[in-house]
């Protein structure tokens, strides 16, 4: 298969040259390729250009975390051995010596086996569940155990926590014990089955993450998933799958997909075997979810056979289904508009709420674009005579830079949106501007954000704030990701590198790095914690500032497309009115109570609290899975932040009632 020529991602669409030199006949990673792939990162990374001691230390740290992210397996001596083996790692890989990877894997395999054996023994017939158990759960605030005995003591507490998770779902103790043991057996199986490709991919991803939090290595499977996410379509059966207790479980059916059209598959069905058009069925129990998904996906028009197990009231039913794969559009991830009608002194106001979960883009000719979708949505809002819009970016983690620039430009005439720094201080920043002179929406606009609004979301929110075009409502500030990544495929279908190629700046000259975009009207939110944000990530790049580059041609002071700047006195009034409503809101009181509990709990897990909280959460999750599309929309619009953003929008409409222009095409 020839390498695909595309370059998209969290944020950049620019095509960058990597100049890899691989034998085209090869299809697997090899030790000798690692230095060449590292060079691909270093030639393009905004900060690092060479392998040095600092980068080696960070690589070893990241690889150790990859081996044991939870810190329940390795001991301090094990970590010391791994670090010693990896000292001088760059010289070793240049000499085609990757033996340290296999040796490190042997160590973690032995420790996973130790913990699995201990778990089986501990959960024997004499096991007694202790709901009073308390322990530190956060790996970032925990050290590796000094020795095997200390590791086992910690594991006892962790096992009580795992048992509590099962008991909270009304499961009997014996079944909970069996499931926990199976969890450790599966972990051992996965570790044992780690192949050479996985080891090399893990090393390369650790190298990437040693550069900054957003650079990474995409294996073939990860690259496939990334492409699907960006273009919002795939060829398969149209079902969302998860892995539960060794089974591949159908979570949701995509409306119009092959599984939904068949009428034979239901949520919570378990897929226990998969077969192709010809050939026998393959058992997939205890198989990694990514491997099961790979078997199920395929070209449009081909057939896939599934062996299904469905749990009834008192029995388990098994049957086979044959489905014809088809193109599946992941509509839940696409931009959608909903309307809220408000009555103000007998006058009805129609407010449009745009749920915008990602800046997706399909780079193929004729592919779907979030900018095009949003342009069409705004046209619908104009023709439907909406009085104002809420653009909801509160759960939007970013995506295409090109689409972010176009989307910001939908709300003003034309002009600068973002500047991207280049590698090296001597090179000038690249300015990206909206060149479309049309103002698609000139009316009142609120942008809803949170601490998890990141990247492209921050560009749009920050640009509209700098131009005083919109009121930003939501969490205290956004995530704080002010860097640009590009994806570059590696020849021979070996995957791709995602590398941070620059920093970006919004028109006022600020980088959103670390501080993000501050809300004009702040709402309490579950994500407003110092644990969430760019500045809390390993090796995050420092923020910078440049001169302002706001474009005067963006403003339209009269005639078609006219829009008014948001005034400081407007913001003052909006804040005051919102504060009064939030203070009286039971929903926001619950959010504040949860935030307070979270701070009080700190890093310590109380098993007794798990039993109480988890049960309530599971009931809510099960209820959500049964929601129809209309019911999901109702639940979405009932959210406290959505309701308050709509109230702020209504206040904005009333504040500038005699000043705000009508839509040109109403």
């Amino acid at each position: 298969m020839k390498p695909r020529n595309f370059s998209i991602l969290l944020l950049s669409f620019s095509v960058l040259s990597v100049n890899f030199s691989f034998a085209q006949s090869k299809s697997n990673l090899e030790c000798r390729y690692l230095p060449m792939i590292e060079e691909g990162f270093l030639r393009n990374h905004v900060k690092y250009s060479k392998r040095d001691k600092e980068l080696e230390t960070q690589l070893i740290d990241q690889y150790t975390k990859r081996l044991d992210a939870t810190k329940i397996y390795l001991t301090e001596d094990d970590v010391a051995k791994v670090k010693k083996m990896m000292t001088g790692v760059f010289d070793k890989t240049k000499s085609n010596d990757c033996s340290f990877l296999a040796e490190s894997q042997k160590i973690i395999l032995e420790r996973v086996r130790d913990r699995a054996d201990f778990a089986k023994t501990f959960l024997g017939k004499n096991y007694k569940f202790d709901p009073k158990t308390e322990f530190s759960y956060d790996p970032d605030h925990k050290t590796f155990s000094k020795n095997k005995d200390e590791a086992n003591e910690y594991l006892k507490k962790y096992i009580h926590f795992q048992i509590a998770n099962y008991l909270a779902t009304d499961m009997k103790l014996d079944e909970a014990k069996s499931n926990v043991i199976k969890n450790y057996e599966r972990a051992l199986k996965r570790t044992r089955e780690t192949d050479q490709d996985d080891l090399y991919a893990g090393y390369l991803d650790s190298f990437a993450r040693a550069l900054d939090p957003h650079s990474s290595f995409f294996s073939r499977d990860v690259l496939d998933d990334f492409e699907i996410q960006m273009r919002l379509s795939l060829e398969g059966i149209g079902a969302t799958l998860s892995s539960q207790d060794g089974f591949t479980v159908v979570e949701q059916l995509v409306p119009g997909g092959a599984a939904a059209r068949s009428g034979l598959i239901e949520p919570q069905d378990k897929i226990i075997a998969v077969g192709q058009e010809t050939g026998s069925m393959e058992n997939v129990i205890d198989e990694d979810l990514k491997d099961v998904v790979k078997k199920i996906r395929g070209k449009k028009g081909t057939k896939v056979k599934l062996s299904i197990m469905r749990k009834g009231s008192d029995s388990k039913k098994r049957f086979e289904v044959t489905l014809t794969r088809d193109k599946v559009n992941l509509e839940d991830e696409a931009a959608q508009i909903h309307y809220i009608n408000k009555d103000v002194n007998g006058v009805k106001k129609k407010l449009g709420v745009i749920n915008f979960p990602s800046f997706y883009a399909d780079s193929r000719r004729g592919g779907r674009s979030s900018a095009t979708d949003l342009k069409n949505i705004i046209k619908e809002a104009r023709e439907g005579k909406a009085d104002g819009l809420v653009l909801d970016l509160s759960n939007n983690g970013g995506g295409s830079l090109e689409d972010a620039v176009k989307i910001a430009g939908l709300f003003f005439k034309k002009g600068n949106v973002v500047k991207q720094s280049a590698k090296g201080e001597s090179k000038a920043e690249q300015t990206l501007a909206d060149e479309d002179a049309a103002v698609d929406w000139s009316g009142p606009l609120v942008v809803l954000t949170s601490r998890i609004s990141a990247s492209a979301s921050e560009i749009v929110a920050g640009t509209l704030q700098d131009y005083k075009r919109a009121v930003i409502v939501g969490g205290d500030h956004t995530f704080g990701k002010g860097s640009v990544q590009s994806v570059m495929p590696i020849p021979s279908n070996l995957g791709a590198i995602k590398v941070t190629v620059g920093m970006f700046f919004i028109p006022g000259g600020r980088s959103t790095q670390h501080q993000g975009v501050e809300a004009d009207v702040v709402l309490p939110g579950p994500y407003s914690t110092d644990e969430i944000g760019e500045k809390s990530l390993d090796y995050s790049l420092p923020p910078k500032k440049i001169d302002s580059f706001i474009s005067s041609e963006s403003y339209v002071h009269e005639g078609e497309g006219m829009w008014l700047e948001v005034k400081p006195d407007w913001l003052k009034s909006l804040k005051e009115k919102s504060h009064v409503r939030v203070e009286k809101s039971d929903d926001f009181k619950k959010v504040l109570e949860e935030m307070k509990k979270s701070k009080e709990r700190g890093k310590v897990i109380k098993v007794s609290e798990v039993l109480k909280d988890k049960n309530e959460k599971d009931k809510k999750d099960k209820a959500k899975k049964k929601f129809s599309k209309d019911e999901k929309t109702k639940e979405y619009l009932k959210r406290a932040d959505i309701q308050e953003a709509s109230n702020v929008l209504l206040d904005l409409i009333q504040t500038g009632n005699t000043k705000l222009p009508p839509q040109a095409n109403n």
Side-chain angles (χ1 to χ4, degrees), residues 171-189:
M171 188 179 288
K172 300 298 183 183
L173 180 60
D174 284 347
E175 189 178 356
K177 286 165 57 177
S178 176
N179 279 325
V180 171
I181 290 171
K182 285 178 182 177
N183 287 340
Y184 287 96
E185 289 174 341
R186 280 193 291 273
L188 179 59
K189 181 175 182 284

Side-chain angles (χ1 to χ4, degrees), residues 349-538:
K349 295 293 181 182
K350 183 178 182 180
L351 311 181
V353 179
I354 300 172
N355 186 2
F356 198 74
S358 73
F359 290 80
Y360 48 89
D362 186 347
S363 61
R364 301 171 301 180
R365 179 173 293 184
R368 190 167 186 174
S369 155
S370 57
T372 302
D373 282 358
L374 190 55
K375 189 178 182 75
N376 291 332
I377 283 172
I378 289 173
K379 181 182 178 183
E380 176 198 316
R382 284 200 317 267
E383 292 174 348
K385 300 189 182 300
D387 294 289
L389 292 179
V390 173
L391 179 61
D392 178 15
L393 304 178
S394 61
N395 288 298
N396 191 318
S400 158
L401 175 59
E402 182 179 343
D403 281 64
V405 172
K406 290 178 179 177
I407 285 167
L410 296 174
F411 303 101
F412 53 74
K413 190 173 181 182
K414 64 177 182 177
N416 296 330
V417 173
V418 63
K419 277 192 177 184
Q420 177 183 329
S421 66
K423 186 178 177 72
E425 295 294 330
S426 61
K427 295 183 181 178
E429 296 95 1
Q430 177 189 5
T431 304
L432 302 176
D434 171 60
E435 301 295 342
D436 183 356
V439 181
D440 290 77
W441 181 264
S442 60
L445 178 65
V446 162
V447 178
L448 180 62
T449 60
S450 75
R451 278 278 188 110
I452 59 174
S453 303
S455 198
S457 289
E458 296 175 284
I459 288 177
V460 171
T463 297
L464 296 176
Q465 187 179 58
D466 282 354
Y467 281 107
K468 298 182 174 62
R469 177 62 191 90
V471 177
I472 312 301
V473 176
D476 51 351
H477 62 77
T478 56
F479 189 84
K481 180 186 179 292
S483 58
V484 184
Q485 286 72 42
S486 278
V487 171
M488 290 159 271
I490 301 172
S492 301
N493 193 28
L494 292 176
I497 67 171
K498 174 163 74 82
V499 57
T500 298
V501 295
M503 304 290 290
F504 68 73
F505 304 86
I506 53 179
R510 292 186 301 112
S511 164
T512 60
Q513 186 71 359
H514 288 191
Q515 67 261 38
V517 177
E518 294 183 1
D520 298 312
V521 179
V522 177
L523 305 179
Y527 305 121
S528 295
T529 164
D530 288 340
E531 300 297 314
I532 296 175
E534 178 79 10
K535 59 189 175 185
S536 68
L537 302 179
D538 291 345

Side-chain angles (χ1 to χ4, degrees), residues 149-179:
D149 289 340
E150 188 175 297
N152 287 341
E153 282 303 309
Y154 178 82
L155 194 61
K156 288 179 183 178
K157 297 176 181 179
Y158 190 70
I159 288 172
H160 287 313
F161 168 63
Q162 291 176 297
I163 292 289
N165 281 330
Y166 285 113
L167 294 180
T169 64
D170 296 328
M171 188 179 288
K172 300 298 183 183
L173 180 60
D174 284 347
E175 189 178 356
K177 286 165 57 177
S178 176
N179 279 325

Side-chain angles (χ1 to χ4, degrees), residues 80-100:
K81 286 178 185 176
V82 171
K83 289 183 176 180
K84 184 176 180 181
M85 284 190 292
M86 292 187 73
T87 301
V89 62
F90 297 134
D91 290 333
K92 290 178 180 179
T93 54
K94 283 181 182 178
S95 301
N96 200 28
D97 177 11
C98 291
S99 58
F100 62 89

Side-chain angles (χ1 to χ4, degrees), residues 559-596:
E560 185 176 346
M562 174 188 172
W563 58 271
L564 298 183
E565 299 173 49
V566 174
K567 308 297 183 186
D569 59 319
W570 294 9
L571 292 178
K572 183 174 183 293
S573 174
L574 296 177
K575 286 179 189 176
E576 290 171 353
K577 290 177 180 178
S578 177
H579 179 72
V580 171
R581 285 191 298 266
V582 169
E583 285 284 297
K584 295 178 180 177
S585 167
D586 290 337
D587 288 333
F588 280 117
K589 284 177 184 175
K590 289 176 185 176
V591 171
L592 290 168
E593 286 170 7
E594 281 303 312
M595 290 171 65
K596 184 180 178 182

Side-chain angles (χ1 to χ4, degrees), residues 135-153:
F135 71 111
S136 175
Y137 179 67
D138 188 348
D140 290 334
H141 296 84
K142 176 187 178 299
T143 59
F144 286 99
S145 299
K146 290 183 172 59
N147 50 48
K148 184 176 178 179
D149 289 340
E150 188 175 297
N152 287 341
E153 282 303 309

